[in-house]
Amino acid sequence: MTTTLNRPAAGAPAASKTAPTFRQRLNVFDVKASPYLYIAPFFLLFGLVGLFPLGYTFVVSLFDWHLLKGQGEFVGLRNFVEVLQDRFFWNSLFNTVSIFLLSTIPQLVVATGIAAVLDQNLRAKTFWRMSILLPYIVTPVAVAMIFANMFGEQYGLINNILASMGIDRIMWMNETLPSHIAIATMVNWRWTGYNALILLAAMQAVPRDIYESAAIDGAGPFRRFFSITLPSIRPTMIFVVITATIGGLQIFTEPKLYDPRSAGGTARQFQTTVLYLWEMAFQRQNFGKAATIAWLLFLIIVLFGIVNWLISRRIATTGDAPANRRLRRAGLTTTRSGK
């Protein structure tokens, strides 16, 4: 009744809303705009050094562009057609994929094993964990010099050991598969420890009580590794696989330094796609075709990345159900054992 009596009469003007002060408007602007301002420098820098060179490379690929003479006539997609009909391009692509497979697969397997060992309760664990990173900080030039001497065909360490065992010398530089194995060994030696540390960080995040519950249930070390560790670090494993794929398809330093006198061997037996791009740009001085090779390599890397992501995602989706069942079982076991 009181409320009815105090209600303002119909048609009376509503009370005016207090206008926000300058400080309040400044606070609202800060809350809404600050996140965009914080991340803007990255996108500005990415657009400057990432997107602009990518677009400008495509423009160059549409012209007959010489290194010294500069821009020539517009040729459209003719450079793409000629590069796709070039047997040296396909040879470089075969070499790239071969070295990529020989380096990435053993590298990830060994890195996972090393990370699993380092995840145990070792003495001086910091020393061991830092030690495996030492190959990563060695310069690629030093790595190439060491391994070029080890894989030397006449006086190399490995051929001398094989000769002392009565085995014929291997032409590590002049034959296709041995040269790929030698270059892949350089890549593995340098990057295995780096990937092992990333996987170790993921393994350290797995709750220890799950391992304890599985051990109480009688699961051995190998069973715990395949049933708990690998399913738990699957997102990190996908990240490592994709980054290793991108790096493996862009390999340049190791094959270039393995034989600095040539652009991938006397018969192009270990010439990668980036090495062929370098030869096209700075030896043949054909910037138009070099830009075309760069764009084709970019599309191939994107294709490999998508296929890799789809396969990894499918494996992750397929493996989630059994992994979750195992984790739930381990959690229930903990509850039972805690009673």
Side-chain angles (χ1 to χ4, degrees), residues 32-334:
K32 291 183 177 179
S34 291
Y36 299 102
L37 295 178
Y38 291 149
I39 61 173
F42 166 77
F43 285 100
L44 290 175
L45 196 62
F46 175 72
L48 185 64
V49 302
L51 291 181
F52 173 73
L54 189 64
Y56 191 69
T57 302
F58 181 73
V59 172
V60 173
S61 69
L62 301 177
F63 288 86
D64 185 11
W65 203 299
H66 192 269
L67 175 63
L68 300 178
K69 300 177 183 176
Q71 181 179 346
E73 62 175 340
F74 180 78
V75 296
L77 298 178
R78 193 179 72 188
N79 282 333
F80 285 87
V81 175
E82 291 180 356
V83 169
L84 290 175
Q85 293 176 345
D86 186 357
R87 63 187 178 90
F88 293 142
F89 171 74
W90 293 107
N91 172 69
S92 69
L93 191 60
F94 166 77
N95 292 335
T96 302
V97 175
S98 173
I99 295 172
F100 158 67
L101 293 176
L102 288 172
S103 60
T104 303
I105 296 175
Q107 181 187 137
L108 294 180
V109 172
V110 175
T112 306
I114 292 175
V117 172
L118 292 176
D119 192 37
Q120 306 303 313
N121 189 19
L122 301 175
R123 290 184 178 179
K125 59 180 67 175
T126 304
F127 168 76
W128 295 113
R129 291 173 183 176
M130 296 305 297
S131 298
I132 64 169
L133 199 60
L134 286 178
Y136 178 69
I137 63 177
V138 178
T139 61
V141 177
V143 174
M145 290 178 64
I146 293 170
F147 280 87
N149 283 302
M150 287 179 60
F151 287 102
E153 295 178 349
Q154 297 298 326
Y155 307 106
L157 174 65
I158 297 176
N159 269 352
N160 285 336
I161 294 175
L162 293 177
S164 65
M165 298 170 62
I167 301 175
D168 293 337
R169 296 176 183 272
I170 299 176
M171 297 293 103
W172 294 108
M173 194 167 289
N174 289 315
E175 293 183 359
T176 302
L177 182 59
S179 63
H180 292 184
I181 294 175
I183 295 171
T185 305
M186 289 188 232
V187 178
N188 290 334
W189 187 81
R190 187 157 182 257
W191 289 99
T192 300
Y194 175 82
N195 288 324
L197 279 187
I198 294 177
L199 295 172
L200 174 63
M203 291 179 185
Q204 292 280 297
V206 181
R208 298 292 144 177
D209 55 346
I210 298 177
Y211 291 108
E212 294 171 2
S213 303
I216 293 173
D217 280 353
F222 289 99
R223 179 62 184 275
R224 294 198 296 269
F225 175 74
F226 287 104
S227 299
I228 298 176
T229 304
L230 284 184
S232 301
I233 65 169
R234 188 175 289 117
T236 305
M237 185 71 77
I238 293 173
F239 167 78
V240 171
V241 169
I242 291 178
T243 54
T245 302
I246 296 172
L249 293 176
Q250 292 178 334
I251 185 170
F252 171 79
T253 306
E254 286 83 359
K256 178 57 184 171
L257 296 177
Y258 189 53
D259 184 10
R261 297 164 298 181
S262 65
T266 53
R268 302 173 185 271
Q269 60 271 22
F270 55 90
Q271 184 182 59
T272 61
T273 304
V274 179
L275 206 50
Y276 184 49
L277 186 157
W278 174 83
E279 179 195 357
M280 185 66 72
F282 299 104
Q283 289 190 348
R284 301 192 192 184
Q285 301 182 353
N286 192 334
F287 257 34
K289 284 190 177 179
T292 305
I293 296 171
W295 249 90
L296 289 174
L297 181 62
F298 167 73
L299 295 176
I300 291 170
I301 290 174
V302 170
L303 179 64
F304 267 80
I306 292 174
V307 171
N308 219 334
W309 177 71
L310 290 175
I311 294 175
S312 304
R313 185 184 178 191
R314 184 166 183 81
I315 293 174
T317 307
T318 307
D320 275 349
N324 289 335
R325 282 200 297 270
R326 283 192 291 270
L327 292 176
R328 282 198 299 271
R329 193 182 306 126
L332 290 175
T333 306
T334 304

